[in-house]
Amino acid sequence: MSLRPTLDFLLYHWLDAESLNQRARFADHSRETFDAVFDTCERIAREKYAPFNRTVDTQEPHFDGEKVILPQATHDAQKAYAASGMLSAAQDYEVGGMQLPYTVEAAANAFFAMASVSIGSGLLTTGNANLLMVHGTELQKEVFAKNEFSGRFSGTMCLSEPQAGSSLSDVTTRAVPDGEGFEADPLGARYRLKGNKMWISAGEHELTDNIIHLVLAKIPGPDGKLIAGTRGISLFIVPKKMVNTKGELTGVRNDVALAGLNHKLGWRGTTNTLLNFGEGKYPVDGQAGAVGYLVGKPHEGLRCMFHMMNEARIGVGTAATMLGMAGYYASLDYAKNRPQGRPVGVGGKDASQPQIRIIEHADVKRMLLAQKAYCEGALALELYCARLVDENHTAEAQAADDARLLLEVLTPIAKSWPSEWCLEANSLAIQVHGGYGYTRDFPVEQYWRDNRLNMIHEGTHGIQAMDLLGRKVLMEGGRGLQLLAARINATIEKAIQRPELAVHANALGKALQHVGSATKAAWATGEPGEALANAVPYMQAFGHTVLAWLWLDVALASLSLAPDAPHAGRMGAMRYFYHYELPKIDAWLKVVESRDLTCAELPEEAF
């Protein structure tokens, strides 16, 4: 099956992406230019990525003592992706970009994520460069960001540490001024960094001329001690190889050393590393300490890094979505061709009758329909969030601000919902394949392994849930939640006028009301420990309500088209979600409303 018809419907018939061309920034574009981008990306994904998905899974990165070895296919894919211009697709013409809407960029990248997610398509490099375009100096943009956009350099995001994990308050990597005149370096205030960073994707390889690490570290206070908490965190550019002000390599290796490769369950085509900064293996000017250039102001590193982290969270959600979609397409093809079993009649099964294909069994249809509802719904979610990014950047002031706040509320959902439910789709895809699903003769076991990592990537469910209930729905007096409710109610008002959608519109209205009352109940005592004890069930219910809304909105758009097979599929997936999925929220919200402390209060020794 091809992803293209589903993308075309969501972009052009639902989100009206063509209307973006009426804005000055995108005035040079049309559906023809958008489609040309999709044609190119679809072709590269088909030729350079998909045939090697199993190759990069079995030929894991390895270190020969001097460099990390990757399959030739990875080098070829990286070159093809860079040559396509997708690394700078949304950037200004002046920096070599195409000024594409982010909506189109996100949709185009979906082809690569589905073809082979672990070969990678530059998510971290683009996010790294985008951050520098916002927070970097003019020379930092010129030397680092532009070379990343061209594909000459690649980028990473270095947050976690072996002892800290997701708890950034406990970061201990330190940065000290690099001698007298450190502030005068043209590339930025120059520091020396010492510390360790863990789980750094693409932290070491030979795919590009240089690797630009964006590193969180703490500048010691006047007493020489690190500032407690996140307030002391600053952000630094730490290149693997030193460069001059023209971006040319100087021949000096920076003091960043590979300490080891992490061998993960999935995403095996991407190097995942433990990096040592400043241990003295590669001294610069005779001194230990990795040279780093300050980005922005001291102690504001986390604010800068969130620019990249939010992009990465949408990217992780998209990756999870497309892995789910790949499994769905594989299991659908298998179900259409695998004969097994016979229909059950009044007298039972007639063994003399020929076998039927498994897609004719109701339970197999259930599993396929669940996958379709999860994955196509998740794709709608990610594209909707991408459209909000464009609104934030190019709409009139009030609409832009509304989009900003809506995106704040929806980002935890965009990251976590596909990571959970498209993983469930992968599990169902294995089940559809039966015993064959667990073998490496079929691709679905790899899709599941690759997707299992997305529940961890860019913050666990628990972290995202606490962000949602503890911060996002409360920020600006709850205005973000009110904006979302207004959009959901607008869809309900339209759908309730259509007889085939009215019952679902009413169900969505009740779900929205329940989420609102549960939000208030969770915070009724004002005690964070009680409110957040069941943040994950809250996020699950919140996410299911958002997906039910999107499916209803998609159904409205579908009703304006001819009643063909794709329309029947969309309506079937929408009905499945309302009949089988939306009712789950009552159970999730029950523990939220009662501030149930069963989990929180169980003593350690009881486990």
Side-chain angles (χ1 to χ4, degrees):
M1 285 187 66
S2 171
L3 173 66
R4 189 66 174 270
T6 300
L7 271 181
D8 284 349
F9 169 79
L10 291 173
L11 286 173
Y12 299 128
H13 295 290
W14 178 53
L15 288 176
D16 190 21
E18 284 182 274
S19 66
L20 289 168
N21 301 327
Q22 298 169 15
R23 297 179 183 176
R25 179 169 182 80
F26 310 126
D28 292 339
H29 289 294
S30 63
R31 176 163 180 174
E32 287 69 30
T33 63
F34 294 166
D35 285 346
V37 170
F38 296 147
D39 290 342
T40 298
C41 292
E42 192 172 19
R43 176 183 57 78
I44 295 172
R46 183 176 62 249
E47 296 175 358
K48 300 292 185 181
Y49 284 69
F52 307 104
N53 190 45
R54 181 63 81 184
T55 301
V56 299
D57 185 61
T58 56
Q59 297 180 24
E60 290 187 70
H62 65 277
F63 185 51
D64 69 357
E66 292 187 7
K67 58 182 182 291
V68 170
I69 308 300
L70 292 166
Q72 183 60 40
T74 305
H75 292 261
D76 296 340
Q78 194 276 336
K79 289 178 181 177
Y81 186 81
S84 74
M86 284 301 295
L87 286 166
S88 59
Q91 289 298 315
D92 296 347
Y93 295 132
E94 289 74 16
V95 298
M98 293 188 271
Q99 285 188 200
L100 281 174
Y102 181 66
T103 308
V104 174
E105 179 187 1
N109 277 324
F111 292 110
F112 301 102
M114 190 169 78
S116 183
V117 73
S118 73
I119 287 180
S121 56
L123 169 67
L124 289 174
T125 296
T126 299
N128 180 309
N130 286 346
L131 182 153
L132 292 176
M133 293 301 290
V134 174
H135 298 289
T137 65
E138 290 305 313
L139 195 57
Q140 287 173 345
K141 297 175 188 177
E142 193 70 31
V143 170
F144 299 111
K146 289 186 180 180
N147 277 306
E148 290 182 273
F149 285 137
S150 73
R152 182 172 165 241
F153 296 170
S154 56
T156 73
M157 179 170 64
C158 299
L159 290 79
S160 296
E161 298 181 2
Q163 83 292 341
S166 299
S167 180
L168 298 181
S169 295
D170 298 311
V171 163
T172 60
T173 297
R174 63 170 53 217
V176 298
D178 189 21
E180 291 185 17
F182 75 97
E183 293 177 314
D185 194 301
L187 290 175
R190 179 171 160 142
Y191 287 75
R192 292 280 184 152
L193 278 70
K194 293 186 178 182
N196 314 98
K197 293 293 181 178
M198 183 57 134
W199 312 118
I200 309 307
S201 295
E204 179 59 42
H205 55 73
E206 302 293 320
L207 296 171
T208 53
D209 291 347
N210 205 355
I211 302 174
I212 309 305
H213 303 291
L214 284 179
V215 184
L216 291 182
K218 291 184 177 180
I219 300 172
D223 59 359
K225 297 180 180 179
L226 298 182
I227 301 171
T230 59
R231 292 183 301 109
I233 294 177
S234 301
L235 180 64
F236 300 88
I237 299 168
V238 183
K240 173 184 173 181
K241 301 173 183 177
M242 302 300 291
V243 300
N244 60 25
T245 55
K246 295 181 180 179
E248 299 165 339
L249 302 183
T250 65
V252 176
R253 173 76 184 261
N254 203 357
D255 198 6
V256 183
L258 177 68
L261 295 175
N262 298 308
H263 299 282
K264 289 189 171 184
L265 175 77
W267 284 61
R268 291 176 174 174
T270 300
T271 54
N272 191 274
T273 61
L274 169 60
L275 298 177
N276 290 345
F277 291 82
E279 66 174 4
K281 185 173 183 178
Y282 303 104
V284 181
D285 297 330
Q287 299 178 48
V291 173
Y293 305 101
L294 182 67
V295 179
K297 297 179 181 179
H299 312 309
E300 293 189 4
L302 205 54
R303 182 181 68 84
C304 296
M305 187 63 94
F306 264 110
H307 183 99
M308 186 175 181
M309 289 168 68
N310 284 332
E311 284 186 30
R313 285 169 177 171
I314 294 174
V316 167
T318 301
T321 298
M322 301 322 299
L323 282 163
M325 196 78 81
Y328 167 54
Y329 288 164
S331 62
L332 178 60
D333 180 69
Y334 184 84
K336 287 180 176 180
N337 291 285
R338 167 71 172 177
Q340 186 172 315
R342 292 165 179 82
V344 179
V346 175
K349 295 181 181 179
D350 184 350
S352 67
Q353 294 298 311
Q355 290 182 317
I356 60 174
R357 295 167 304 133
I358 62 172
I359 197 172
E360 297 178 61
H361 295 295
D363 192 56
V364 173
K365 286 185 178 181
R366 176 190 63 82
M367 291 188 285
L368 292 170
L369 197 49
Q371 292 179 67
K372 182 179 178 70
Y374 297 152
C375 299
E376 292 185 12
L379 182 57
L381 169 66
E382 301 304 328
L383 292 177
Y384 187 85
C385 288
R387 178 63 193 263
L388 288 176
V389 172
D390 287 322
E391 293 296 314
N392 184 28
H393 290 162
T394 63
E396 296 296 327
Q398 186 58 57
D401 192 59
D402 288 351
R404 171 195 61 81
L405 192 52
L406 272 171
L407 197 58
E408 289 278 7
V409 173
L410 288 176
T411 294
I413 304 301
K415 186 275 172 186
S416 286
W417 198 92
S419 300
E420 180 171 4
W421 297 99
C422 293
L423 178 68
E424 174 62 18
N426 287 132
S427 182
L428 291 170
I430 292 173
Q431 191 73 11
V432 169
H433 280 75
Y436 288 110
Y438 300 90
T439 71
R440 293 195 177 187
D441 299 309
F442 290 84
V444 288
E445 61 85 26
Q446 183 185 343
Y447 296 145
W448 186 92
R449 285 189 289 105
D450 285 340
N451 216 352
R452 185 60 185 81
L453 275 66
N454 288 316
M455 295 178 82
I456 297 291
H457 282 156
E458 300 307 321
T460 64
H461 273 13
I463 289 170
Q464 303 297 332
M466 287 189 287
D467 184 41
L468 178 67
L469 180 55
R471 195 165 71 92
K472 295 298 180 64
V473 299
L474 304 177
M475 64 192 302
E476 299 183 25
R479 190 169 73 88
L481 189 56
Q482 293 166 7
L483 285 170
L484 179 61
R487 296 204 176 191
I488 294 174
N489 280 320
T491 297
I492 290 171
E493 289 300 313
K494 294 177 184 176
I496 211 163
Q497 308 299 321
R498 305 296 299 256
E500 59 270 74
L501 299 180
V503 64
H504 305 309
N506 284 320
L508 179 57
K510 291 177 182 177
L512 178 61
Q513 186 177 29
H514 200 175
V515 169
S517 63
T519 306
K520 293 178 182 178
W523 285 104
T525 64
E527 173 55 51
E530 293 182 2
L532 300 178
N534 294 290
V536 167
Y538 175 84
M539 184 174 69
Q540 289 173 309
F542 196 106
H544 261 48
T545 302
V546 168
L547 266 291
W549 160 52
L550 294 175
W551 265 120
L552 192 63
D553 211 57
V554 164
L556 280 167
S558 191
L559 284 171
S560 66
L561 301 177
D564 54 9
H567 167 74
R570 287 187 288 269
M571 297 301 286
M574 182 272 299
R575 287 194 296 272
Y576 173 89
F577 202 87
Y578 274 84
H579 294 170
Y580 289 77
E581 295 294 332
L582 190 59
K584 294 176 180 177
I585 76 165
D586 291 336
W588 288 324
L589 292 178
K590 184 176 181 180
V591 293
V592 176
E593 290 173 310
S594 65
R595 299 181 298 283
D596 191 297
L597 298 178
T598 298
C599 301
E601 291 184 344
L602 190 66
E604 179 181 335
E605 57 272 17
F607 283 93

